[in-house]
Amino acid sequence: MTDSFAPYFAHIHPAGYRKTAPASNDTFNHRYLIKLSDASWLEIPLCALPGDQQAIALLMSNQCPLSVTEHLSGLIAEKAAMFQPESIVAIPTMGLEYGSRVAAKLRMEHYVAMGFSHKFWYDEHLKEAVVSSTSPDQRKFLYLDPALLNRVQGKRVVIVDDVINTGASMLAATRLLRRAGAEVAGIVVALTEGYAWRETLSDISIMMPDKVSAAGHIPLFMKKGSAWVAQPDT
């Protein structure tokens, strides 16, 4: 673990900081720059995965500077507004960092926070199994608090999260919300990572991947010498 990774470094650079996005054959050592939808740049660390042959660009939303979270929340809110939502739903854990901020920017009184912990008053009908890409050996359940059912039932909702990669959590959230009577009008994330999520969301409908909007995109990375390079087609 390098010093550049340890503090979960994240920084927003203004528009014009760099003229072009990184090329597909560029190599990287510790950090990666992402061009965002407002032409600003997000810089985050690269984190090697077990085996040290692959890496990800890590946005640790609950540990990065609040100014970064606030900036990304503004971009998410702009994109969410395009779907004309009646309610904002956030996926745990990192999506909760954006849910309340996005709802406030859209002048909503509240939002819906899904959860992974079961409360004694929960309804077994309002849960969905999910396998996280960061915890593949742990089978978890995503829950919708029945006390919040009136905030989604019969409503146009937008789901927000920090990053979508495999799409497993988003698939579970979408299925759960639809079962609760919500119309999932759109999905908005800070970053899309690779494109595996498109196939996953296609299990719901062929049109569902096209409902995903993001402030930026990150590829997956593979080892090249002592550095990292973006994996093809990610």
Side-chain angles (χ1 to χ4, degrees), residues 192-212:
T192 50
E193 180 178 41
Y195 298 103
W197 54 269
R198 294 191 63 89
E199 182 176 354
T200 302
L201 293 184
S202 292
D203 286 350
I204 297 175
S205 103
I206 194 171
M207 301 300 294
M208 187 58 65
D210 294 330
K211 292 186 177 184
V212 176

Side-chain angles (χ1 to χ4, degrees), residues 85-203:
E86 297 172 276
S87 187
I88 295 295
V89 179
I91 296 181
T93 301
M94 300 303 176
L96 303 185
E97 294 295 320
Y98 301 99
S100 61
R101 290 178 170 91
V102 170
K105 290 177 186 299
L106 296 179
R107 299 183 179 180
M108 296 179 178
E109 286 295 320
H110 45 61
Y111 81 111
V112 175
M114 288 184 156
F116 287 132
S117 62
H118 180 268
K119 311 301 182 187
F120 70 86
W121 65 86
Y122 278 14
D123 184 341
E124 287 298 302
H125 177 68
L126 296 176
K127 74 175 185 180
E128 187 73 27
V130 59
V131 177
S132 168
S133 63
T134 54
S135 306
D137 57 337
Q138 299 178 19
R139 187 170 184 261
K140 299 183 287 188
F141 286 96
L142 187 64
Y143 295 94
L144 174 63
D145 188 335
L148 304 180
L149 191 59
N150 66 326
R151 298 185 184 180
V152 300
Q153 197 169 49
K155 305 281 182 67
R156 286 176 58 85
V157 306
V158 165
I159 310 173
V160 301
D161 203 358
D162 63 335
V163 178
I164 184 171
N165 37 52
T166 66
S169 296
M170 198 62 72
L171 177 66
T174 303
R175 283 176 170 167
L176 181 51
L177 287 166
R178 292 177 68 173
R179 192 161 66 248
E183 176 192 352
V184 179
I187 294 167
V188 185
V189 296
L191 301 172
T192 50
E193 180 178 41
Y195 298 103
W197 54 269
R198 294 191 63 89
E199 182 176 354
T200 302
L201 293 184
S202 292
D203 286 350

Side-chain angles (χ1 to χ4, degrees), residues 40-77:
S40 64
W41 297 83
L42 171 64
E43 186 175 9
I44 53 178
L46 294 175
C47 173
L49 298 177
D52 200 38
Q53 295 303 304
Q54 295 179 307
I56 58 172
L58 184 66
L59 175 63
M60 203 69 166
S61 296
N62 63 349
Q63 302 292 348
C64 70
L66 295 179
S67 58
V68 172
T69 306
E70 183 65 21
H71 186 87
L72 292 173
S73 296
L75 300 182
I76 293 172

Side-chain angles (χ1 to χ4, degrees), residues 25-45:
N25 59 347
D26 284 352
T27 57
F28 310 93
N29 292 313
H30 302 298
R31 297 176 182 174
Y32 185 71
L33 274 172
I34 306 113
K35 189 174 184 179
L36 300 176
S37 55
D38 66 345
S40 64
W41 297 83
L42 171 64
E43 186 175 9
I44 53 178

